[in-house]
Amino acid sequence: MNFPIFLTGMLSGLSLIMAIGAQNAFVLRQGLRGEHVLAVCLTCAISDAILILLGVTSFGQIAQRLPWLAPAMRYAGAAFLIWYGTKSMRAALQSTEALIVGTERKAGGLAKALTACLAITWLNPHVYLDTVVLLGTILTRFAGETGSFAAGAVSGSFLFFFSLGYGSAWLRPIFAKPSAWRILEAGIAFVMWAIAAKLVLGD
């Protein structure tokens, strides 16, 4: 294991996934609710690991052989994000929910949460651009160090998602107020719609 290359991979991976996006907003929301945090964080991290491995192996060749893949995923992802953003905005306008710390509340279904998590992750072409294409490009600078670089990038992904999911617990007292929760839902909606617009416009 080449530690400097491992660290480069970790920092490269972190720099690409730290920006606020649909996936991160979803993890934050689940963390604040305390709903299936382990499963959601693990799903995001494993998905990232798979994408990173694709990036350092063969995704570029797949995209060249299947030119319809990128536009198909772009429009499918945009449609899903528009729907999910609308769902969040409806909650922002109608919900009177508050996050009550220290009391039990019925969590949403695990299957529903994981389905949304997987869709947000895998139907977003920007994920492929960042995690697959850009990391694959950076790796070309380190010939023969694929293992160390990929291990670093994967480690960075696990570190980020679990820190976000479980670290959000510190914000729970703020979300004891319904107004704070509505603001979060509205913010998530705008993030989803903005990403969808970029996908449709090809930005």
Side-chain angles (χ1 to χ4, degrees):
M1 176 70 68
N2 187 322
F3 183 74
I5 302 300
F6 174 90
L7 186 60
T8 298
M10 175 179 286
L11 294 177
S12 298
L14 284 172
S15 68
L16 293 176
I17 64 176
M18 284 183 67
I20 295 176
Q23 187 184 44
N24 296 349
F26 181 80
V27 174
L28 175 63
R29 184 175 184 273
Q30 293 298 117
L32 286 169
R33 285 178 173 271
E35 292 184 357
H36 315 299
V37 180
L38 175 62
V40 167
C41 291
L42 197 59
T43 298
C44 289
I46 291 175
S47 295
D48 252 27
I50 294 172
L51 291 168
I52 289 168
L53 292 178
L54 284 174
V56 300
T57 55
S58 60
F59 186 80
Q61 298 175 4
I62 294 174
Q64 289 180 355
R65 295 183 180 182
L66 302 174
W68 53 266
L69 183 62
M73 293 195 62
R74 186 169 40 134
Y75 289 111
F80 176 82
L81 292 174
I82 290 171
W83 171 81
Y84 198 91
T86 301
K87 181 172 176 288
S88 293
M89 182 56 70
R90 185 180 298 115
L93 296 175
Q94 299 176 356
S95 176
T96 58
E97 180 182 60
L99 188 65
I100 303 175
V101 181
T103 62
E104 292 187 2
R105 62 185 300 276
K106 185 177 180 180
L110 175 60
K112 183 178 179 181
L114 292 184
T115 298
C117 181
L118 289 169
I120 288 172
T121 300
W122 290 91
L123 291 180
N124 183 4
H126 284 238
V127 171
Y128 296 89
L129 174 62
D130 292 344
T131 310
V132 178
V133 178
L134 294 183
L135 284 180
T137 301
I138 294 172
L139 178 63
T140 60
R141 297 170 50 198
F142 308 105
E145 298 291 349
T146 298
S148 296
F149 184 88
V154 169
S155 298
S157 179
F158 272 82
L159 175 64
F160 174 78
F161 286 116
F162 278 88
S163 297
L164 179 62
Y166 285 98
S168 59
W170 293 94
L171 300 175
R172 286 180 185 174
I174 297 174
F175 288 88
K177 299 179 180 179
S179 58
W181 194 257
R182 288 196 295 270
I183 291 172
L184 175 67
E185 292 284 11
I188 290 174
F190 284 119
V191 167
M192 301 291 183
W193 289 340
I195 296 173
K198 289 183 178 181
L199 293 180
V200 172
L201 297 174
D203 184 7

